[in-house]
Amino acid sequence: MKVIICGAGQVGSAICEALWKTTNIVLIDRDEDKVNDLYSTYDIQGIVGSSTSMNILKEAGIETGDIFLAVTNSDETNMISAIIAENCGVPHVYARVRNPEYLEDIPFMKSALGLSEMINPELDAGKLIDQILSFPTANSIENFANGKLQIVGMTVKPHSILDGKTLDEFRSAIDQRIIICAVEREGQVLIPNGAFRVQAGDQIHVTATRDNLKKFYNVLKFQKKSARKILIIGGGQMTYYLLERLSKRNKEVKVIEADYKRCNELALAFPDFEIIHGDGTDQKLLAQEGIEKYEAMVALNDIDEENMIVSLYAKSCGIPKVITKIDRPYFLKSIINLGLDTIITPKRLIADKIIRKTRSLKATQNSSLVNLYKLVDEHIEAMEFEVLTEAAITSADLKTLELVNHTLITGIFRNGHYIVPDGSDQIQVGDLVTIVTAQTNITDINQLVVQA
C-alpha cells in the first residue's frame, strides 16, 4: 500500500512513525530539514517541495497512490492538494481542515472536493474534552460499537474497593459487567489476569457499556456528576469548538485569553459565557477570578510549558478535574509523573484516526478492523474487529482458544447486546469483538490466535 503524506509536522511525523514498517510512504514538505530528519529516521521516500505542485506530486507517484493525506499547517494548501489528488484518481483522500468557516457544511465540502474525509484535530479534541467533563473521573475515553461500549482510563484511589484486591476478588465483591483490561504502574504496562492485585495510584483502563460504567462509578464512590463550573485557559480554535458544545448544556464557563481581539470574537460568539482578557498563567489573576471554586480547569494555551505550569497550579488549588493540552508527545511521560493524568494531544488524536483508517483498508476476507486506539502512552492497542467468516477466532470457545501473549478479549457485541466474555463464550460470524493487546501492526483478528 502506497501512502502519500503532505506535511512533515507533528501529525505527519506521527503517521510516518506508525505506518513506515507496513506501508510504502512518500513524504512531501517544503522544509528540507524536516524531510531529512524523518527520511533518516524511517525507511520512507522524502521529497522537498510544495504539495500543490503537479510536478512534485508526479515525482511522488501520485497516479499509483492508494491513500493521500494532506496534513500541512495550511487549510488552503491541504484542500488544493487534496483536489489534485482526487482528480488524479487516488482512491482515499484526506485533508486536514481546521477553520470553522470551512467546516460549517462538512458534507457539502466533502462532496464538492471529492474527499474521503476532512480531519480536524482541534474539533476532535474539543469533543473528547467535552466527553471527559461529562465523566470527570475519567482520564481518557475511547468509544467502540458505535459508542455503546467504552474503554475509560481512571486512577485507583487509596482505600477504594479496588485498592489491594485481586481482580478475581473484586469481581466476587460486586455484580458488575466490567473488565479491567490494562494497568499502568510505575512506568510498567500490564494486561492483567484474575490474580493481579490492584494498588492505589494504578492507572487502569475499564471496558463496559455506558450504563455499567455509571454503576461502576457508584460502587467506587467516584464523582458521577458532570463538571458544571469550568475554567478554560486560552481562547484558541480548540476553545471555540469546546465552547460550541458546552453552550448546549447548562454550564458556567469562564475563559481567560491574552489576545484582546480574540476575547471580543469569543464574547460575540458566546454571550452566555464570561470571557476575561488577561494572562491565564498569572497566579494572582487566577486567584482574583476564584480558581479554587471551579470543578474543572482546561489548559488550552498554544505553549505546552504554560499549560503544564497552570495545570500544576490548578491541582495545588484543589480543582477536582484538570485537563491539559500538550502538542509535543515527548512531554507526556514526564507530565504523568507530575500527577497530570488527563492529557489531550490533538495531533496524536488525528494521527491515530488516520492510522485506524489506513489499517482498516487492509481488511482480510476473515475480519475487518473497525476501530483502533492506542492506550497507555501507546504501549497497548485497543481494537474492534468485525468477524466476517469462520476462521481460527471462531474455532473454539474462549477457554480453549489460545491467544498470543499479552492479548485479552474484552467484549463481544452481538445482535445489539454486549457480552462480557468468559471461558464458555465462543465468537461467531457477525460479532464485533474488542481486543486489547501489546502486539503491533495487527490487521486481522486471527493474527492474535496461536496457530496450531
Side-chain angles (χ1 to χ4, degrees):
M1 179 178 289
K2 183 174 181 177
V3 180
I4 299 173
I5 303 172
C6 301
Q10 291 172 353
V11 174
S13 61
I15 298 168
C16 287
E17 180 183 2
L19 297 180
W20 72 276
K21 291 182 180 178
T22 57
T23 57
N24 175 21
I25 291 177
V26 182
L27 176 70
I28 302 171
D29 197 281
R30 290 178 178 273
D31 190 319
E32 184 176 1
D33 290 338
K34 288 183 178 180
V35 172
N36 287 337
D37 181 53
L38 292 175
Y39 173 77
S40 62
T41 304
Y42 309 112
D43 184 14
I44 64 173
Q45 179 184 351
I47 299 175
V48 178
S50 170
S51 60
T52 60
S53 164
M54 195 63 219
N55 288 334
I56 292 293
L57 293 175
K58 284 182 177 179
E59 184 181 346
I62 192 168
E63 67 282 352
T64 58
D66 298 298
I67 300 175
F68 186 90
L69 305 171
V71 292
T72 73
N73 287 325
S74 166
D75 289 351
E76 292 76 14
T77 297
N78 293 338
M79 289 190 289
I80 292 170
S81 60
I83 291 171
I84 296 172
E86 195 274 334
N87 286 330
C88 288
V90 180
H92 304 280
V93 180
Y94 302 91
R96 173 184 175 185
V97 180
R98 296 176 292 176
N99 190 327
E101 294 179 4
Y102 293 133
L103 295 172
E104 289 176 355
D105 192 349
I106 291 178
F108 172 77
M109 291 288 288
K110 287 171 63 176
S111 174
L113 298 178
L115 304 181
S116 302
E117 186 166 342
M118 296 171 71
I119 51 181
N120 185 327
E122 288 79 9
L123 179 62
D124 282 4
K127 290 178 180 178
L128 179 57
I129 293 169
D130 181 41
Q131 274 190 304
I132 293 173
L133 289 172
S134 298
F135 292 93
T137 302
N139 299 331
S140 61
I141 300 176
E142 315 294 357
N143 293 295
F144 294 87
N146 296 319
K148 297 181 179 67
L149 185 67
Q150 292 183 325
I151 295 183
V152 174
M154 59 185 68
T155 305
V156 177
K157 296 182 178 179
H159 313 300
S160 70
I161 192 173
L162 264 172
D163 186 13
K165 283 189 171 61
T166 67
L167 296 188
D168 284 338
E169 291 170 345
F170 178 66
R171 292 192 194 102
S172 299
I174 66 168
D175 182 23
Q176 300 294 326
R177 296 167 60 81
I178 64 105
I179 289 180
I180 297 175
C181 58
V183 179
E184 183 178 15
R185 176 187 295 168
E186 297 178 350
Q188 288 190 314
V189 180
L190 307 162
I191 296 179
N193 56 27
F196 180 84
R197 193 172 299 278
V198 179
Q199 297 178 5
D202 284 349
Q203 305 289 324
I204 63 173
H205 289 262
V206 179
T207 305
T209 62
R210 290 172 180 264
D211 288 342
N212 286 330
L213 279 171
K214 291 178 182 177
K215 295 175 184 177
F216 180 62
Y217 289 167
N218 284 334
V219 169
L220 296 183
K221 299 180 180 178
F222 280 166
Q223 179 183 348
K224 302 178 292 298
K225 291 175 58 179
S226 64
R228 185 176 180 278
K229 289 174 64 70
I230 302 165
L231 176 64
I232 302 174
I233 308 299
Q237 209 59 63
M238 196 183 311
T239 297
Y240 181 94
Y241 291 125
L242 178 58
L243 293 179
E244 272 194 323
R245 301 181 73 85
L246 295 177
S247 65
K248 300 171 185 176
R249 299 168 174 76
N250 182 26
K251 303 291 184 183
E252 182 180 331
V253 179
K254 180 182 290 184
V255 178
I256 302 178
E257 163 60 32
D259 184 273
Y260 184 76
K261 180 181 177 182
R262 184 59 175 170
C263 285
N264 283 333
E265 293 171 351
L266 292 175
L268 288 172
F270 304 101
D272 293 334
F273 296 151
E274 186 176 1
I275 313 297
I276 304 294
H277 176 231
D279 180 2
T281 64
D282 183 342
Q283 295 183 9
K284 184 177 179 181
L285 174 61
L286 293 173
Q288 289 173 350
E289 297 299 332
I291 185 173
E292 73 283 352
K293 298 177 182 177
Y294 286 89
E295 297 165 352
M297 193 282 295
V298 187
L300 299 180
N301 275 323
D302 291 333
I303 301 173
D304 289 348
E305 291 84 352
E306 290 184 357
N307 289 333
M308 293 166 63
I309 291 168
V310 74
S311 295
L312 289 170
Y313 179 65
K315 279 276 191 182
S316 72
C317 292
I319 294 184
K321 189 64 186 179
V322 176
I323 300 174
T324 311
K325 177 181 80 78
I326 296 294
D327 281 324
R328 288 170 285 181
Y330 54 80
F331 271 145
L332 296 180
K333 191 168 185 179
S334 58
I335 288 178
I336 293 172
N337 293 336
L338 290 173
L340 302 178
D341 47 24
T342 304
I343 311 298
I344 304 295
T345 306
K347 293 178 175 65
R348 172 55 63 183
L349 291 177
I350 290 302
D352 286 351
K353 175 185 279 191
I354 292 171
I355 292 162
R356 182 163 65 245
K357 292 180 181 299
T358 303
R359 281 214 219 158
S360 69
L361 296 176
K362 296 183 177 181
T364 67
Q365 63 179 358
N366 296 321
S367 69
S368 173
L369 180 65
V370 178
N371 257 321
L372 179 147
Y373 295 97
K374 293 179 179 292
L375 308 178
V376 200
D377 198 22
E378 304 192 16
H379 291 291
I380 287 177
E381 292 187 345
M383 294 178 284
E384 179 181 19
F385 287 95
E386 181 182 3
V387 179
L388 302 177
T389 62
E390 299 284 352
I393 196 70
T394 62
S395 63
D397 58 29
L398 296 185
K399 67 176 178 290
T400 307
L401 197 67
E402 185 180 358
L403 301 177
V404 298
N405 290 336
H406 310 299
T407 299
L408 177 67
I409 295 175
T410 59
I412 302 170
F413 207 78
R414 179 181 298 158
N415 299 325
H417 298 286
Y418 171 59
I419 300 170
V420 177
D422 60 29
S424 63
D425 289 305
Q426 186 165 350
I427 293 171
Q428 300 176 9
V429 173
D431 286 349
L432 286 176
V433 182
T434 56
I435 291 181
V436 170
T437 182
Q439 309 299 322
T440 58
N441 299 318
I442 300 299
T443 56
D444 183 342
I445 192 172
N446 295 285
Q447 292 175 263
L448 297 170
V449 180
V450 174
Q451 303 297 320

